[in-house]
Amino acid sequence: MAGKFVLTKGKSGQFHFSLKASNGQVILSSEMYTTKAAALAGIESVRKNAKEDGRYERKQAKTGPMFNLKATNGQVIGTSEVYSSEASRDAGIESVKKNAPEAKLDDTTAA
């Protein structure tokens, strides 16, 4: 099974997506979007930017390493979880690179 994007709609009416690896683990999460169209555009941006290593901002959170994926304009389009080590974080980046470009969309907002 390949990775997939899961699009959801929150109680606030805003939209959010996550990228899940083939094992079902969330490897990237988006911000909240006010429209479904904007969230879908965010997914396309992740697909487009995922393979470019220079788009990943490797960071150190208070509790451990993590990363952001940025678009060409520098805007953050996805954020990882906090990892236990830099090696785990780097494996997470590789998983996004591998899964995002061909990931199917699971639209849970569809009626």
Side-chain angles (χ1 to χ4, degrees):
M1 182 177 116
K4 67 179 179 179
F5 286 99
V6 179
L7 179 63
T8 57
K9 185 175 183 179
K11 291 179 182 175
S12 67
Q14 294 191 322
F15 297 85
H16 172 267
F17 66 83
S18 57
L19 174 61
K20 292 187 175 185
S22 56
N23 65 3
Q25 182 178 354
V26 174
I27 51 178
L28 194 73
S29 296
S30 76
E31 64 182 5
M32 297 302 285
Y33 293 92
T34 55
T35 66
K36 184 174 180 176
L40 292 171
I43 289 171
E44 288 308 310
S45 185
V46 170
R47 285 185 174 135
K48 184 175 111 180
N49 290 285
K51 290 191 177 224
E52 297 290 327
D53 192 66
R55 302 273 188 261
Y56 292 90
E57 176 185 38
R58 292 156 174 88
K59 297 182 73 173
Q60 184 68 33
K62 288 183 181 179
T63 55
M66 51 84 64
F67 66 88
N68 289 320
L69 175 60
K70 293 186 169 188
T72 53
N73 65 2
Q75 182 178 357
V76 173
I77 50 177
T79 301
S80 74
E81 65 179 2
V82 175
Y83 291 92
S84 59
S85 69
E86 289 184 9
S88 296
R89 177 201 58 208
D90 293 345
I93 290 171
E94 290 306 312
S95 184
V96 173
K97 288 179 182 178
K98 176 182 150 200
N99 285 286
E102 303 298 323
K104 302 290 184 219
L105 174 62
D106 179 2
D107 184 355
T108 66
T109 70

